[in-house]
Amino acid sequence: MNALPMLVRGRNSLANALPVIAFAAATAIMCTVLAGTGAFYGRLGPEGFDPSSANASPEAQIMPMLVICAVFACVLLVPNAIALGGAAARLSLARREKDLAAVRLVGGTRAQVAGVAVSDVAWQSIVGAAIGVGVHIAAAWPLSHLDFGIRKFTVGELILPWWALALTPFALALFAALSAAITLTGVALSPLGIARGAHTVRMSVVRLLVWVLSIVVFLVVAAFLPKIEGVSLGAIIVGVLVTVGTMVFAVNLAGPFIVWIVARFAAFLAPTPGLLVGARRLTADPRAGWRAVSGVTIALVVAGFASIITIFPNGDAVAQLMNQALVTGALLTVGIAAVLAAVSTGVTHTARVLDQAPRYRAQHVAGASVGQLHRARIAEIAIPVGISLVVSVFMAALVLLALMGSSATNPLVAVGFLVSVVAALGLVAASALVSSPLVARAARARVRAAD
């Protein structure tokens, strides 16, 4: 514990800020989405009330469908917000691997290393969670002004209960500690290898098979569950939600394997040094390469689902009310997914530059210009982005065709999704530009020190 302050002081302020930002964004998004789902659920009628009866108001008639859509948004967003929190814990620990390995090499026990590592991650998660809870509370007022066509939500409805807000920092600290403990296994087992930077990347094809299996299960559920007699509409919707959520989880499991395979081929066939170096970096750490674009992938999948709303026709008063509520909800969901993607992409790219600073310095001293380093980094970013676009288009098209049939080929759907793709590319480009100055600073740092 006496070593912890020295380890923290030895890290620059940006390295400390990145995990806190990720924890804060994950907490704010998770709390906001859960509170919004609870707000819609609170508007349901009393038990036994039939929303399709003649006496039901238009709001009461559409509320069950809105609750289902809110739960669907939770299935898409909350797991990825939690994953961002886990990535923040690993990000914090990864930057301390060599320091912790040094503690092991000079005689520190596994328990001592674990105590230092978990304490380091825990304080960052608590600070980030506290900031995220504050952002969640502050966002409730502007969100209460959104027009869903129904009675507007109050600020109190869009904020989690006080006990949930109080428990959130401690729950996130526990989750971060568990993620850190899992990541810490490498330090405990092979401190000398980590101190020397001798990481061995192992990618199993099982990752891809899990994703393929989840797709098969979804197609079976979407094709045959509605045809089974006696199955209620609610059971069909729950089955579709569960299988779609499983696919979202599985694509993040398969993503690093796909990046690893594509990067190996790109390195083998690379016609330029920049592409060769960028691909080699990805093969050395495909998980980090995929983590940088996983948020964009989910945002594009959400945008594909949201584009369905553009083909809903207007009918009677209830249909118009439903259309307005769904359009507002779809835009809000895409906006939250975009924020999640922006934070995930920006934090991960910046962290990768900080982690690779010694390599940038070594390559620059060896003769590589700053422009060549930038081109290698662009290749390192472009390969996962291209994979992300292909995967997200495939998943969105698969779900739309399975659920909507020929209606999914409406040109308005394609236009809406194309706009989302362009916005996603702009998001990635912006995140790359934000961290680009760090490349030049890292490359020239050793030159100035040598002078």
Side-chain angles (χ1 to χ4, degrees), residues 262-283 371-384:
V262 174
R264 286 173 64 90
F265 276 104
F268 180 75
L269 302 173
T272 62
L275 179 58
L276 174 63
V277 173
R280 286 293 188 185
R281 289 177 185 165
L282 287 175
T283 58
Q372 290 173 326
L373 296 179
H374 278 300
R375 286 191 287 273
R377 184 166 175 267
I378 290 173
E380 184 183 3
I381 295 173
I383 292 174

Side-chain angles (χ1 to χ4, degrees), residues 14-37:
L14 181 58
N16 277 328
L18 290 177
V20 173
I21 293 172
F23 281 125
T27 303
I29 290 173
M30 183 175 61
C31 291
T32 300
V33 173
L34 291 176
T37 303

Side-chain angles (χ1 to χ4, degrees), residues 419-431:
V419 172
S420 301
V421 170
V422 173
L425 291 175
L427 176 67
V428 174
S431 67

Side-chain angles (χ1 to χ4, degrees), residues 50-133:
D50 184 6
S52 62
S53 64
N55 296 327
S57 65
E59 177 178 334
Q61 294 182 46
I62 68 171
M63 195 53 62
M65 182 61 184
L66 297 185
V67 171
I68 292 173
C69 292
V71 172
F72 189 55
C74 277
V75 170
L76 292 174
L77 297 177
V78 171
N80 289 280
I82 296 174
L84 177 59
R90 292 187 293 272
L91 173 66
S92 176
L93 186 61
R95 195 155 290 107
R96 311 311 299 165
E97 274 187 341
K98 290 189 176 181
D99 294 331
L100 297 173
V103 174
R104 284 281 289 146
L105 288 172
V106 298
T109 65
R110 292 187 180 184
Q112 289 171 333
V113 171
V116 172
V118 171
S119 299
D120 190 15
V121 173
W123 78 262
Q124 291 177 333
S125 64
I126 291 177
V127 172
I131 296 173
V133 168

Side-chain angles (χ1 to χ4, degrees), residues 15-337:
N16 277 328
L18 290 177
V20 173
I21 293 172
F23 281 125
T27 303
I29 290 173
M30 183 175 61
C31 291
T32 300
V33 173
L34 291 176
T37 303
F40 279 106
Y41 182 78
R43 293 287 183 89
L44 285 175
E47 186 176 356
F49 175 74
D50 184 6
S52 62
S53 64
N55 296 327
S57 65
E59 177 178 334
Q61 294 182 46
I62 68 171
M63 195 53 62
M65 182 61 184
L66 297 185
V67 171
I68 292 173
C69 292
V71 172
F72 189 55
C74 277
V75 170
L76 292 174
L77 297 177
V78 171
N80 289 280
I82 296 174
L84 177 59
R90 292 187 293 272
L91 173 66
S92 176
L93 186 61
R95 195 155 290 107
R96 311 311 299 165
E97 274 187 341
K98 290 189 176 181
D99 294 331
L100 297 173
V103 174
R104 284 281 289 146
L105 288 172
V106 298
T109 65
R110 292 187 180 184
Q112 289 171 333
V113 171
V116 172
V118 171
S119 299
D120 190 15
V121 173
W123 78 262
Q124 291 177 333
S125 64
I126 291 177
V127 172
I131 296 173
V133 168
V135 173
H136 162 61
I137 295 174
W141 183 80
L143 290 177
S144 66
H145 290 76
L146 292 177
D147 185 11
F148 288 91
I150 59 178
R151 179 166 46 92
K152 288 189 176 182
F153 292 106
T154 64
V155 173
E157 288 179 299
L158 298 177
I159 297 178
L160 288 177
W162 66 268
W163 55 266
L165 296 179
L167 289 176
T168 296
F170 300 100
L172 185 61
L174 178 61
F175 172 73
L178 291 175
S179 297
I182 295 173
T183 308
L184 194 62
T185 304
V187 179
L189 294 179
S190 183
L192 182 60
I194 287 178
R196 296 176 57 192
H199 292 274
T200 301
V201 177
R202 294 183 178 89
M203 289 281 111
S204 173
V205 72
V206 174
R207 290 172 172 265
L208 185 62
L209 294 179
V210 170
W211 183 42
V212 173
L213 180 61
S214 68
I215 293 174
V216 173
V217 172
F218 165 74
L219 293 176
V220 171
V221 170
F224 296 103
L225 189 60
K227 299 179 181 179
I228 300 177
E229 296 183 2
V231 177
S232 64
L233 178 61
I236 295 175
I237 293 175
V238 170
V240 170
L241 290 178
V242 170
T243 52
V244 170
T246 303
M247 277 201 306
V248 171
F249 169 79
V251 72
N252 282 329
L253 189 65
F257 177 80
I258 300 175
V259 169
W260 184 63
I261 292 296
V262 174
R264 286 173 64 90
F265 276 104
F268 180 75
L269 302 173
T272 62
L275 179 58
L276 174 63
V277 173
R280 286 293 188 185
R281 289 177 185 165
L282 287 175
T283 58
D285 195 358
R287 293 182 182 88
W290 175 257
R291 199 179 303 130
V293 297
S294 61
V296 178
T297 304
I298 300 305
L300 289 176
V301 173
V302 172
F305 297 152
S307 61
I308 300 176
I309 308 303
T310 60
I311 65 174
F312 280 0
N314 288 323
D316 55 14
V318 175
Q320 293 179 4
L321 189 63
M322 173 70 78
N323 195 33
Q324 181 178 352
L326 291 180
V327 168
T328 303
L331 293 176
L332 178 61
T333 304
V334 172
I336 294 175

